[in-house]
PDB file of all heavy atoms in Angstrom:
ATOM      1  N   VAL A   1      77.728  57.614 247.467  1.00 98.00           N
ATOM      2  CA  VAL A   1      76.794  58.047 246.432  1.00 98.00           C
ATOM      3  C   VAL A   1      77.328  57.679 245.058  1.00 98.00           C
ATOM      4  O   VAL A   1      78.536  57.793 244.801  1.00 98.00           O
ATOM      5  CB  VAL A   1      76.571  59.563 246.500  1.00 98.00           C
ATOM      6  CG1 VAL A   1      75.634  60.013 245.370  1.00 98.00           C
ATOM      7  CG2 VAL A   1      75.985  59.967 247.848  1.00 98.00           C
ATOM      8  N   ARG A   2      76.417  57.237 244.196  1.00 98.00           N
ATOM      9  CA  ARG A   2      76.771  57.016 242.790  1.00 98.00           C
ATOM     10  C   ARG A   2      75.887  57.906 241.910  1.00 98.00           C
ATOM     11  O   ARG A   2      74.671  57.910 242.073  1.00 98.00           O
ATOM     12  CB  ARG A   2      76.630  55.552 242.393  1.00 98.00           C
ATOM     13  CG  ARG A   2      76.872  55.314 240.888  1.00 98.00           C
ATOM     14  CD  ARG A   2      76.795  53.841 240.526  1.00 98.00           C
ATOM     15  NE  ARG A   2      77.829  53.121 241.222  1.00 98.00           N
ATOM     16  CZ  ARG A   2      77.728  51.847 241.609  1.00 98.00           C
ATOM     17  NH1 ARG A   2      76.633  51.166 241.337  1.00 98.00           N
ATOM     18  NH2 ARG A   2      78.725  51.249 242.236  1.00 98.00           N
ATOM     19  N   VAL A   3      76.523  58.601 240.954  1.00 98.00           N
ATOM     20  CA  VAL A   3      75.787  59.392 239.981  1.00 98.00           C
ATOM     21  C   VAL A   3      76.188  58.921 238.598  1.00 98.00           C
ATOM     22  O   VAL A   3      77.370  58.907 238.247  1.00 98.00           O
ATOM     23  CB  VAL A   3      76.079  60.894 240.137  1.00 98.00           C
ATOM     24  CG1 VAL A   3      75.352  61.684 239.033  1.00 98.00           C
ATOM     25  CG2 VAL A   3      75.634  61.386 241.510  1.00 98.00           C
ATOM     26  N   THR A   4      75.211  58.504 237.816  1.00 98.00           N
ATOM     27  CA  THR A   4      75.429  58.029 236.454  1.00 98.00           C
ATOM     28  C   THR A   4      74.642  58.906 235.480  1.00 98.00           C
ATOM     29  O   THR A   4      73.450  59.157 235.704  1.00 98.00           O
ATOM     30  CB  THR A   4      74.953  56.573 236.298  1.00 98.00           C
ATOM     31  OG1 THR A   4      75.595  55.756 237.282  1.00 98.00           O
ATOM     32  CG2 THR A   4      75.264  56.055 234.901  1.00 98.00           C
ATOM     33  N   LEU A   5      75.297  59.371 234.449  1.00 98.00           N
ATOM     34  CA  LEU A   5      74.617  60.166 233.433  1.00 98.00           C
ATOM     35  C   LEU A   5      73.880  59.218 232.467  1.00 98.00           C
ATOM     36  O   LEU A   5      74.346  58.107 232.228  1.00 98.00           O
ATOM     37  CB  LEU A   5      75.594  61.034 232.656  1.00 98.00           C
ATOM     38  CG  LEU A   5      76.385  62.064 233.478  1.00 98.00           C
ATOM     39  CD1 LEU A   5      77.184  62.972 232.541  1.00 98.00           C
ATOM     40  CD2 LEU A   5      75.482  62.891 234.377  1.00 98.00           C
ATOM     41  N   THR A   6      72.796  59.687 231.913  1.00 98.00           N
ATOM     42  CA  THR A   6      72.097  58.927 230.891  1.00 98.00           C
ATOM     43  C   THR A   6      72.795  59.137 229.551  1.00 98.00           C
ATOM     44  O   THR A   6      73.642  60.013 229.385  1.00 98.00           O
ATOM     45  CB  THR A   6      70.638  59.413 230.768  1.00 98.00           C
ATOM     46  OG1 THR A   6      70.632  60.765 230.292  1.00 98.00           O
ATOM     47  CG2 THR A   6      69.929  59.344 232.116  1.00 98.00           C
ATOM     48  N   ARG A   7      72.409  58.326 228.555  1.00 97.00           N
ATOM     49  CA  ARG A   7      72.989  58.505 227.209  1.00 97.00           C
ATOM     50  C   ARG A   7      72.661  59.903 226.680  1.00 97.00           C
ATOM     51  O   ARG A   7      73.490  60.538 226.042  1.00 97.00           O
ATOM     52  CB  ARG A   7      72.475  57.428 226.275  1.00 97.00           C
ATOM     53  CG  ARG A   7      72.989  57.542 224.851  1.00 97.00           C
ATOM     54  CD  ARG A   7      74.517  57.528 224.759  1.00 97.00           C
ATOM     55  NE  ARG A   7      75.090  56.279 225.236  1.00 97.00           N
ATOM     56  CZ  ARG A   7      76.414  56.033 225.252  1.00 97.00           C
ATOM     57  NH1 ARG A   7      77.274  56.955 224.835  1.00 97.00           N
ATOM     58  NH2 ARG A   7      76.858  54.872 225.699  1.00 97.00           N
ATOM     59  N   GLN A   8      71.443  60.385 226.934  1.00 98.00           N
ATOM     60  CA  GLN A   8      71.073  61.713 226.481  1.00 98.00           C
ATOM     61  C   GLN A   8      71.969  62.783 227.134  1.00 98.00           C
ATOM     62  O   GLN A   8      72.377  63.769 226.509  1.00 98.00           O
ATOM     63  CB  GLN A   8      69.595  62.011 226.793  1.00 98.00           C
ATOM     64  CG  GLN A   8      68.613  61.280 225.907  1.00 98.00           C
ATOM     65  CD  GLN A   8      68.516  59.793 226.243  1.00 98.00           C
ATOM     66  OE1 GLN A   8      68.830  59.376 227.374  1.00 98.00           O
ATOM     67  NE2 GLN A   8      68.101  58.969 225.278  1.00 98.00           N
ATOM     68  N   GLN A   9      72.306  62.562 228.413  1.00 98.00           N
ATOM     69  CA  GLN A   9      73.157  63.541 229.119  1.00 98.00           C
ATOM     70  C   GLN A   9      74.607  63.461 228.665  1.00 98.00           C
ATOM     71  O   GLN A   9      75.383  64.376 228.968  1.00 98.00           O
ATOM     72  CB  GLN A   9      73.031  63.310 230.627  1.00 98.00           C
ATOM     73  CG  GLN A   9      71.671  63.757 231.166  1.00 98.00           C
ATOM     74  CD  GLN A   9      71.414  63.276 232.583  1.00 98.00           C
ATOM     75  OE1 GLN A   9      72.038  62.344 233.084  1.00 98.00           O
ATOM     76  NE2 GLN A   9      70.441  63.908 233.246  1.00 98.00           N
ATOM     77  N   MET A  10      74.977  62.438 227.956  1.00 98.00           N
ATOM     78  CA  MET A  10      76.324  62.368 227.370  1.00 98.00           C
ATOM     79  C   MET A  10      76.488  63.437 226.287  1.00 98.00           C
ATOM     80  O   MET A  10      77.610  63.689 225.810  1.00 98.00           O
ATOM     81  CB  MET A  10      76.588  60.973 226.782  1.00 98.00           C
ATOM     82  CG  MET A  10      76.596  59.865 227.816  1.00 98.00           C
ATOM     83  SD  MET A  10      78.066  59.844 228.849  1.00 98.00           S
ATOM     84  CE  MET A  10      79.265  59.153 227.721  1.00 98.00           C
ATOM     85  N   PHE A  11      75.403  64.055 225.874  1.00 98.00           N
ATOM     86  CA  PHE A  11      75.444  65.141 224.899  1.00 98.00           C
ATOM     87  C   PHE A  11      75.395  66.506 225.583  1.00 98.00           C
ATOM     88  O   PHE A  11      75.182  67.518 224.903  1.00 98.00           O
ATOM     89  CB  PHE A  11      74.278  65.023 223.938  1.00 98.00           C
ATOM     90  CG  PHE A  11      74.402  63.878 222.954  1.00 98.00           C
ATOM     91  CD1 PHE A  11      74.150  62.565 223.348  1.00 98.00           C
ATOM     92  CD2 PHE A  11      74.764  64.103 221.637  1.00 98.00           C
ATOM     93  CE1 PHE A  11      74.241  61.501 222.461  1.00 98.00           C
ATOM     94  CE2 PHE A  11      74.885  63.046 220.735  1.00 98.00           C
ATOM     95  CZ  PHE A  11      74.612  61.752 221.150  1.00 98.00           C
ATOM     96  N   THR A  12      75.583  66.560 226.898  1.00 98.00           N
ATOM     97  CA  THR A  12      75.450  67.831 227.622  1.00 98.00           C
ATOM     98  C   THR A  12      76.768  68.349 228.181  1.00 98.00           C
ATOM     99  O   THR A  12      76.774  69.183 229.081  1.00 98.00           O
ATOM    100  CB  THR A  12      74.427  67.667 228.778  1.00 98.00           C
ATOM    101  OG1 THR A  12      74.923  66.694 229.713  1.00 98.00           O
ATOM    102  CG2 THR A  12      73.072  67.231 228.276  1.00 98.00           C
ATOM    103  N   PHE A  13      77.875  67.852 227.620  1.00 96.00           N
ATOM    104  CA  PHE A  13      79.164  68.460 227.978  1.00 96.00           C
ATOM    105  C   PHE A  13      79.997  68.495 226.718  1.00 96.00           C
ATOM    106  O   PHE A  13      79.484  68.711 225.626  1.00 96.00           O
ATOM    107  CB  PHE A  13      79.842  67.748 229.164  1.00 96.00           C
ATOM    108  CG  PHE A  13      79.900  66.253 229.063  1.00 96.00           C
ATOM    109  CD1 PHE A  13      80.988  65.637 228.448  1.00 96.00           C
ATOM    110  CD2 PHE A  13      78.905  65.446 229.615  1.00 96.00           C
ATOM    111  CE1 PHE A  13      81.058  64.252 228.355  1.00 96.00           C
ATOM    112  CE2 PHE A  13      78.983  64.074 229.537  1.00 96.00           C
ATOM    113  CZ  PHE A  13      80.058  63.481 228.905  1.00 96.00           C
ATOM    114  N   GLY A  14      81.298  68.315 226.809  1.00 96.00           N
ATOM    115  CA  GLY A  14      82.193  68.597 225.681  1.00 96.00           C
ATOM    116  C   GLY A  14      81.919  67.851 224.394  1.00 96.00           C
ATOM    117  O   GLY A  14      81.365  66.760 224.383  1.00 96.00           O
ATOM    118  N   HIS A  15      82.361  68.444 223.291  1.00 98.00           N
ATOM    119  CA  HIS A  15      82.138  67.887 221.961  1.00 98.00           C
ATOM    120  C   HIS A  15      83.228  68.442 221.017  1.00 98.00           C
ATOM    121  O   HIS A  15      83.889  69.401 221.336  1.00 98.00           O
ATOM    122  CB  HIS A  15      80.770  68.287 221.451  1.00 98.00           C
ATOM    123  CG  HIS A  15      80.534  69.769 221.458  1.00 98.00           C
ATOM    124  ND1 HIS A  15      79.967  70.425 222.530  1.00 98.00           N
ATOM    125  CD2 HIS A  15      80.815  70.732 220.543  1.00 98.00           C
ATOM    126  CE1 HIS A  15      79.904  71.724 222.278  1.00 98.00           C
ATOM    127  NE2 HIS A  15      80.408  71.938 221.077  1.00 98.00           N
ATOM    128  N   ARG A  16      83.325  67.789 219.845  1.00 98.00           N
ATOM    129  CA  ARG A  16      84.194  68.359 218.816  1.00 98.00           C
ATOM    130  C   ARG A  16      83.448  69.554 218.208  1.00 98.00           C
ATOM    131  O   ARG A  16      82.293  69.437 217.784  1.00 98.00           O
ATOM    132  CB  ARG A  16      84.508  67.343 217.737  1.00 98.00           C
ATOM    133  CG  ARG A  16      85.667  67.772 216.829  1.00 98.00           C
ATOM    134  CD  ARG A  16      85.811  66.907 215.566  1.00 98.00           C
ATOM    135  NE  ARG A  16      86.061  65.503 215.779  1.00 98.00           N
ATOM    136  CZ  ARG A  16      87.230  64.958 216.061  1.00 98.00           C
ATOM    137  NH1 ARG A  16      88.298  65.740 216.174  1.00 98.00           N
ATOM    138  NH2 ARG A  16      87.357  63.654 216.223  1.00 98.00           N
ATOM    139  N   PRO A  17      84.101  70.736 218.180  1.00 98.00           N
ATOM    140  CA  PRO A  17      83.363  71.933 217.774  1.00 98.00           C
ATOM    141  C   PRO A  17      83.114  72.012 216.267  1.00 98.00           C
ATOM    142  O   PRO A  17      83.940  71.551 215.459  1.00 98.00           O
ATOM    143  CB  PRO A  17      84.278  73.065 218.230  1.00 98.00           C
ATOM    144  CG  PRO A  17      85.647  72.475 218.158  1.00 98.00           C
ATOM    145  CD  PRO A  17      85.481  71.047 218.559  1.00 98.00           C
ATOM    146  N   ALA A  18      81.970  72.592 215.907  1.00 98.00           N
ATOM    147  CA  ALA A  18      81.721  72.926 214.513  1.00 98.00           C
ATOM    148  C   ALA A  18      82.803  73.894 214.036  1.00 98.00           C
ATOM    149  O   ALA A  18      83.239  74.773 214.790  1.00 98.00           O
ATOM    150  CB  ALA A  18      80.344  73.538 214.365  1.00 98.00           C
ATOM    151  N   THR A  19      83.243  73.747 212.812  1.00 98.00           N
ATOM    152  CA  THR A  19      84.330  74.571 212.285  1.00 98.00           C
ATOM    153  C   THR A  19      84.093  74.886 210.829  1.00 98.00           C
ATOM    154  O   THR A  19      83.649  74.050 210.050  1.00 98.00           O
ATOM    155  CB  THR A  19      85.698  73.830 212.426  1.00 98.00           C
ATOM    156  OG1 THR A  19      85.864  73.437 213.794  1.00 98.00           O
ATOM    157  CG2 THR A  19      86.849  74.732 212.039  1.00 98.00           C
ATOM    158  N   ILE A  20      84.406  76.139 210.464  1.00 98.00           N
ATOM    159  CA  ILE A  20      84.323  76.601 209.083  1.00 98.00           C
ATOM    160  C   ILE A  20      85.737  76.967 208.657  1.00 98.00           C
ATOM    161  O   ILE A  20      86.390  77.782 209.312  1.00 98.00           O
ATOM    162  CB  ILE A  20      83.397  77.830 208.942  1.00 98.00           C
ATOM    163  CG1 ILE A  20      81.989  77.482 209.461  1.00 98.00           C
ATOM    164  CG2 ILE A  20      83.328  78.302 207.501  1.00 98.00           C
ATOM    165  CD1 ILE A  20      81.117  78.714 209.647  1.00 98.00           C
ATOM    166  N   GLN A  21      86.202  76.398 207.573  1.00 98.00           N
ATOM    167  CA  GLN A  21      87.565  76.639 207.101  1.00 98.00           C
ATOM    168  C   GLN A  21      87.564  77.181 205.677  1.00 98.00           C
ATOM    169  O   GLN A  21      86.739  76.784 204.861  1.00 98.00           O
ATOM    170  CB  GLN A  21      88.410  75.367 207.140  1.00 98.00           C
ATOM    171  CG  GLN A  21      88.529  74.752 208.522  1.00 98.00           C
ATOM    172  CD  GLN A  21      89.306  73.460 208.517  1.00 98.00           C
ATOM    173  OE1 GLN A  21      90.527  73.436 208.306  1.00 98.00           O
ATOM    174  NE2 GLN A  21      88.616  72.361 208.733  1.00 98.00           N
ATOM    175  N   THR A  22      88.521  78.058 205.395  1.00 98.00           N
ATOM    176  CA  THR A  22      88.739  78.558 204.044  1.00 98.00           C
ATOM    177  C   THR A  22      90.194  78.269 203.670  1.00 98.00           C
ATOM    178  O   THR A  22      91.095  78.601 204.454  1.00 98.00           O
ATOM    179  CB  THR A  22      88.470  80.058 203.946  1.00 98.00           C
ATOM    180  OG1 THR A  22      87.124  80.319 204.380  1.00 98.00           O
ATOM    181  CG2 THR A  22      88.639  80.539 202.515  1.00 98.00           C
ATOM    182  N   LEU A  23      90.372  77.644 202.537  1.00 98.00           N
ATOM    183  CA  LEU A  23      91.726  77.321 202.070  1.00 98.00           C
ATOM    184  C   LEU A  23      91.966  77.926 200.698  1.00 98.00           C
ATOM    185  O   LEU A  23      91.070  77.893 199.845  1.00 98.00           O
ATOM    186  CB  LEU A  23      91.943  75.819 202.000  1.00 98.00           C
ATOM    187  CG  LEU A  23      92.522  75.217 203.291  1.00 98.00           C
ATOM    188  CD1 LEU A  23      91.582  74.219 203.876  1.00 98.00           C
ATOM    189  CD2 LEU A  23      93.879  74.611 203.020  1.00 98.00           C
ATOM    190  N   GLY A  24      93.156  78.450 200.510  1.00 98.00           N
ATOM    191  CA  GLY A  24      93.597  78.926 199.204  1.00 98.00           C
ATOM    192  C   GLY A  24      94.948  78.343 198.873  1.00 98.00           C
ATOM    193  O   GLY A  24      95.871  78.383 199.701  1.00 98.00           O
ATOM    194  N   LEU A  25      95.077  77.750 197.695  1.00 98.00           N
ATOM    195  CA  LEU A  25      96.346  77.170 197.239  1.00 98.00           C
ATOM    196  C   LEU A  25      96.672  77.713 195.867  1.00 98.00           C
ATOM    197  O   LEU A  25      95.802  77.711 194.974  1.00 98.00           O
ATOM    198  CB  LEU A  25      96.271  75.644 197.159  1.00 98.00           C
ATOM    199  CG  LEU A  25      96.172  74.870 198.496  1.00 98.00           C
ATOM    200  CD1 LEU A  25      95.864  73.406 198.219  1.00 98.00           C
ATOM    201  CD2 LEU A  25      97.449  74.999 199.283  1.00 98.00           C
TER     202      LEU A  25
END
């Protein structure tokens, strides 16, 4: 059996997460 994901399904697993940062110097 071969299973191939579509390009759209390439967006249905891991990703770089959104992040909110606060810096004080």
Side-chain angles (χ1 to χ4, degrees):
V1 177
R2 175 177 298 150
V3 177
T4 305
L5 300 187
T6 65
R7 178 57 63 180
Q8 287 73 23
Q9 288 167 341
M10 296 286 284
F11 289 77
T12 63
F13 49 89
H15 55 268
R16 194 192 300 278
T19 306
I20 303 167
Q21 300 177 71
T22 303
L23 269 119
L25 291 170

